[in-house]
Every structure is written in structure tokens, then in C-alpha cells.
Amino acid sequence: MSQPRVAIVGAGLTGLSIARQLFGQKMDITLFDKSRGVSGRMATRRLTLTQQTLRFDHGVPGLNSDQAEALAALAEPTDPPLDALLPRGANTPPDTTAAKQRLRTVPGGVNQIGKWLAGGLDVQLQATVASAHQQAVGAPWRLSLAENTPYPDAFDLLVLTTPPHQAANILTTNGSPLMSNLIAAELIALKPQGCWTAMWVTSTQLTGPVLVHPNSEIVERIICEHQKGRDCGDLGVYTLQAHRSWSQQRIDTDPGQVGAELQQEIESGSLTLGHIMHQQMHRWLYAGVQEPLGRPCLVDRSRKLICAGDWCLGNDIDSALSSAAAAVAEIRQMIC
């Protein structure tokens, strides 16, 4: 008898964590992601400037020790240790609350965590899933990729870990939802909230912690990338993330104008970041949702369909991990 086939759409933290927990459990698992690489909000961008390779973790700045331990528990015996990517440095003793809450950063870029999770998994990259359908309730799932290209294999169970509106689009053909009206309504009702992110290189390095939370109604946090054990020379390397409510109001504004507003806000405050040598703006359309779902995942057992993601509980890493754990429990009940 062939193994049950599971399709997971989205190779961010939720999708990768689900696949890792099911790895080697008599299931055939395939992940699909529209991007060139895995990681989702654990994304890293690189820039070469003055012969320096600079890195910007423009989704999340790192993990705390509790999160790192939860991910490390997903390792197979033959995997390299996750701790090798997350040096502790001069930390407080590892059994204290302060140590577990302290940010652990990745010198090589936080996307290395996603690559570590993806090791050994079947991940189809640059594979945009345009739609998914069943001939009847409970029938195998068929996927169509971009430009209506049918994927050759069928799947016994479908897991969507994309932002909710993208999940709704995948499950809709010609305006007609191919799922229960309840799930359709819940996905569509979740309002997206974007985040404008600026990647700056300056002539001055701000000393102090990796994360700075200025007293600002515009800038939520400044991530000092040069404080992560990276070779940045004398350059200050920063990722600035605007508050999501402010960002959403300007989500269609010209990036140059948004960058100018962020710069003006920083210069009017007490922080001195120095002369900006390089600025790149990134419009993160699906940074979160205005109000999370309030449950760890959406499930249609009759169709063998699960929708999961950090948007279910709170737009952060802990929420992604909790949603993944709930989805895994549902999958085991459905096909084991």
C-alpha cells in the first residue's frame, strides 16, 4: 500500500515545522513555495557595498532560546546541530529566564534556520500554487501551478500555510470557493496588515543592543545588523520596521516617500545613525493580520484540508510554531 501523500503550500516557518515533525512517519510530503528559497518571515537579504557583503534580516531578527530549543527538537540524528548557527556568545547561564528570553542571532543570516529545517525535505521552489481542487469531497487534491500548469501528482491531504487571503485564492476557481463556506468566510475576514521595512547602511555604528525600540508612532523597531557578529567594517547596518498600522495606511505609497518619512522620523528623535550611504525599501504586504484568528488552525476534516500559520494566533514565531503543532496533530488523526 502506498504512503499517504501530503502537500504543504508555503515553506516558511509553519510549513517547514509541519514537514519536519512528519518527516519519516510513513508519509510522502511535498512542500511548494513561490520564492527562490525557503524561510518566509525568516528572510535575509544581502548587499555588496564597498567590498563588504552585508546582511539584513528583514523579517525577524533572530530567535530566543525557547524558540531555538523547540526547533532543535525537530532535528534528525544525522542533522548538524542548530546551535552551530546560533552562537550564545557571552550569555547569562542557559537555565535562567533572562537567558531564554534573550535574542539569539545568526551571523550568517536568519534564513539559515529555514535552510536547516528544509534539509532532507522535498521542497519545490519557484512553484506558485495557483489553485487546488477536488472532484468530490474527500477525493484526492489536484494542484495547478502558475499559468494553469497541472501538477502531475495527486495528494491525500492539503495543508495551506500561506497568508489567509492567498489561501482563499488558491481554494477559489472562477469566483466560487472550493471549500466549506465557513472556512472561506473566516479566511477572507482576516484583514492583512503590511509592514514597510527600510534597509539602511550608514557611516556610523550605533552601539548597544541588537534591538532598539524608539519612542515613535512610526518606527516600531531598529535592528542593528552590525551587532550580530558579522563583518561590516565600520559601517552601520540597520533594518528599520515601521509600525504595521502606520504601514497599512501607506501600503500603496511610493517607496521613496515612505523612506523619506522614516528618515525624517529618525532624524527628529534622539538616535543618531549617521549619514545614509544606502537605502532600500521593502513593502512586506503580508506581515500579519489586524486581528488573529484566535484558533491554532482551520480544519475541514471531510475534505482533508488544513489552513495554518502565524496569523492564526498572533503574527510571530511562537504563533507559527503553535499553529504547526496543532496542524500536525490534525494530520495524524486524519491519515494515520
Side-chain angles (χ1 to χ4, degrees):
M1 182 176 178
S2 61
Q3 294 183 347
R5 294 186 59 87
V6 179
I8 301 175
V9 182
L13 182 55
T14 302
L16 291 170
S17 297
I18 292 170
R20 267 290 179 173
Q21 292 176 70
L22 299 175
F23 188 74
Q25 296 190 16
K26 298 183 179 179
M27 300 180 201
D28 192 343
I29 302 165
T30 305
L31 291 104
F32 298 84
D33 200 283
K34 64 181 180 179
S35 301
R36 292 180 296 175
V38 298
S39 291
R41 69 173 58 244
M42 295 187 300
T44 302
R45 294 196 175 206
R46 292 193 301 176
L47 167 71
T48 300
L49 188 68
T50 64
Q51 299 183 332
Q52 295 278 349
T53 299
L54 309 176
R55 292 174 173 82
F56 303 83
D57 295 329
H58 67 88
V60 297
L63 304 176
N64 65 38
S65 290
D66 282 343
Q67 294 162 351
E69 288 175 11
L71 291 177
L74 305 181
E76 294 294 312
T78 56
D79 290 335
L82 180 60
D83 258 7
L85 300 176
L86 293 157
R88 292 182 182 272
N91 209 337
T92 49
D95 59 344
T96 67
T97 301
K100 288 182 177 295
Q101 293 176 343
R102 180 172 177 175
L103 184 69
R104 296 181 63 187
T105 59
V106 186
V110 75
N111 65 333
Q112 299 301 309
I113 297 172
K115 292 179 179 180
W116 179 86
L117 284 168
L121 301 177
D122 179 7
V123 184
Q124 303 293 313
L125 295 174
Q126 295 183 287
T128 300
V129 176
S131 64
H133 63 278
Q134 295 172 305
Q135 293 296 329
V137 174
W141 283 97
R142 294 281 181 177
L143 306 183
S144 291
L145 305 183
E147 300 179 356
N148 295 319
T149 303
Y151 191 75
D153 299 325
F155 297 91
D156 301 291
L157 191 145
L158 176 63
V159 184
L160 300 178
T161 67
T162 63
H165 284 199
Q166 292 182 2
N169 289 337
I170 289 171
L171 294 165
T172 302
T173 298
N174 298 324
S176 175
L178 302 173
M179 54 186 161
S180 71
N181 290 333
L182 178 61
I183 286 185
E186 290 193 278
L187 286 171
I188 295 169
L190 294 165
K191 303 302 182 185
Q193 203 167 42
C195 173
W196 274 109
T197 300
M199 289 160 276
W200 283 3
V201 181
T202 74
S203 57
T204 303
Q205 290 188 348
L206 188 67
T207 59
V210 172
L211 279 181
V212 177
H213 296 273
N215 183 20
S216 167
E217 295 182 357
I218 296 178
V219 180
E220 179 181 8
R221 64 184 181 184
I222 301 171
I223 305 167
C224 301
E225 307 289 355
H226 54 268
Q227 297 285 71
K228 295 182 177 180
R230 301 170 181 173
D231 182 10
C232 301
D234 296 326
L235 300 175
V237 184
Y238 304 96
T239 301
L240 288 79
Q241 293 179 332
H243 286 288
R244 291 175 185 175
S245 57
W246 183 89
S247 297
Q248 189 61 36
Q249 293 173 1
R250 294 160 177 79
I251 205 65
D252 294 320
T253 302
D254 178 76
Q257 180 179 334
V258 176
E261 290 185 55
L262 292 176
Q263 182 177 350
Q264 182 179 6
E265 177 70 7
I266 292 299
E267 290 176 348
S268 66
S270 59
L271 293 176
T272 302
L273 301 186
H275 170 68
I276 299 175
M277 304 168 58
H278 173 86
Q279 174 178 268
Q280 181 177 350
M281 298 301 300
H282 173 66
R283 186 179 65 163
W284 186 6
L285 281 174
Y286 297 106
V289 292
Q290 292 181 18
E291 293 291 338
L293 176 68
R295 305 196 305 279
C297 57
L298 284 170
V299 181
D300 188 333
R301 294 184 179 89
S302 63
R303 291 186 179 271
K304 294 188 176 179
L305 167 68
I306 297 172
C307 299
D310 52 18
W311 49 267
C312 292
L313 294 170
N315 301 323
D316 55 24
I317 290 177
D318 290 328
S319 300
L321 295 175
S322 296
S323 182
V328 167
E330 290 285 348
I331 293 168
R332 288 172 175 159
Q333 288 187 13
M334 287 187 198
I335 64 176
C336 291

